Amino acid sequence: MDFARTVTERTLHLNTRLCVGLDPRAGAYRDPEHLRQHTLDVLEAAAPYAACVKPQLAFYEALGLPGLQILEEVCSAARTLGLPVLLDGKRGDIGSTAAAYAQGWLTGPHAGDALTVNPFLGFQTLRPFLDAAIAHGGAIFVLVKTSNPDQADLQGHGVSEKVAAWISEANSETPAGRYGPVGAVVGATHPGELAKYRELMPRALLLLPGLGAQGAAPQDLRAAFHPGGTGALASASRAVQYADGLDVRASREAAKALRDGLNGAMD
């Protein structure tokens, strides 16, 4: 099964729309081994309440080779737990460089089942990523309207809508009732715009970053979902991994509470 179908089936089977971000911050730990063990413990604790997991590449790359080794172990553990892996790397480049990024992050044991990508070098630069994703049953998530306040410098104003139109066209051959290989990143911090982007991209999974630490609440997100509660993933990272310092039990309870809050928003 491809990424979109796997996530959708997990959403329906486990009744969860939560994407758990794993952003291990080196300063919170004694050493890389402490970081590794805590991250794996949080992953295992939160897995029953998650539709997928989203490691943020920057935090692993910052550790050098040990970080990449930890990332590979995190990806392997997630798959053992039945969790699809969405790598948050926001990659984007031209030609052979884009193809190399796609090979690096969408194929192989350390790769994700999906990857966030940046469209601002032009839509043709997304093709290597999309080709690699399709070849391996994966997906890409294109930045459309991100959660940070500074996004307004470039996003919106017709630009985000143009990206949304490209995504809709890229998914146009996807059978009715299913989601295509091109998803969209739309910040949960823009609740008033979620219905618009849901309508513009009917066959795209929406990744909604910003739940928890950035201020978005579950009840703000209902418009991003289709009837039945499918079509979107609400992402929380710090609110789960560091819910109460390094207390893994608090991470488990935070994931459960966010899962329940999102389910309540569907009612």
Side-chain angles (χ1 to χ4, degrees):
M1 260 192 315
D2 60 33
F3 178 87
R5 289 181 66 189
T6 300
V7 165
T8 300
E9 289 205 1
R10 189 171 175 89
T11 291
L12 294 172
H13 179 66
L14 294 181
N15 197 23
T16 179
R17 293 132 188 93
L18 178 65
C19 172
V20 171
L22 294 176
D23 302 359
R25 297 161 188 262
Y29 304 98
R30 295 187 301 272
D31 51 40
E33 175 55 28
H34 186 205
L35 179 152
R36 168 191 168 276
Q37 192 58 59
H38 178 257
T39 303
L40 290 170
D41 288 346
V42 170
L43 171 62
E44 184 173 5
Y49 311 109
C52 70
V53 63
K54 182 176 71 66
Q56 166 54 258
L57 290 182
F59 293 97
Y60 301 87
E61 291 172 339
L63 298 172
L65 181 57
L68 296 179
Q69 292 170 330
I70 292 168
L71 174 64
E72 187 166 321
E73 192 168 353
V74 166
C75 291
S76 176
R79 293 187 178 106
T80 298
L81 292 165
L83 275 170
V85 178
L86 196 175
L87 293 181
D88 194 354
K90 302 178 180 68
R91 292 303 194 262
D93 217 311
I94 62 172
S96 59
T97 310
Y101 275 135
Q103 180 180 356
W105 296 118
L106 286 165
T107 69
H110 62 280
D113 304 300
L115 176 70
T116 60
V117 296
N118 188 331
F120 291 102
L121 279 76
F123 296 133
Q124 189 59 34
T125 66
L126 300 180
R127 195 72 236 180
F129 296 101
L130 181 54
D131 289 344
I134 290 173
H136 294 86
I140 60 173
F141 282 78
V142 183
L143 304 183
V144 174
K145 183 79 168 173
T146 55
S147 59
N148 58 304
D150 294 345
Q151 54 77 31
D153 293 343
L154 295 173
Q155 297 171 28
H157 317 297
V159 176
S160 295
E161 292 79 1
K162 188 172 183 178
V163 178
W166 182 87
I167 292 171
S168 186
E169 176 61 28
N171 286 330
S172 62
E173 296 184 7
T174 301
R178 288 175 53 182
Y179 300 102
V182 186
V185 180
V186 179
T189 50
H190 311 294
E193 299 186 71
L194 294 179
K196 175 181 76 173
Y197 288 112
R198 176 71 286 164
E199 184 178 0
L200 288 173
M201 299 175 287
R203 296 179 183 175
L205 283 176
L206 305 184
L207 176 65
L208 312 172
L211 184 63
Q214 291 188 59
Q219 60 267 26
D220 298 331
L221 308 183
R222 181 171 181 171
F225 294 86
H226 282 131
T230 62
L233 297 162
S235 178
S237 302
R238 283 171 287 171
V240 174
Q241 187 160 7
Y242 301 112
D244 183 10
L246 301 182
D247 186 338
V248 175
R249 289 173 298 181
S251 295
R252 178 187 297 110
E253 290 306 309
K256 182 177 184 296
L258 288 167
R259 188 276 312 265
D260 292 346
L262 288 163
N263 289 349
M266 299 300 110
D267 296 336

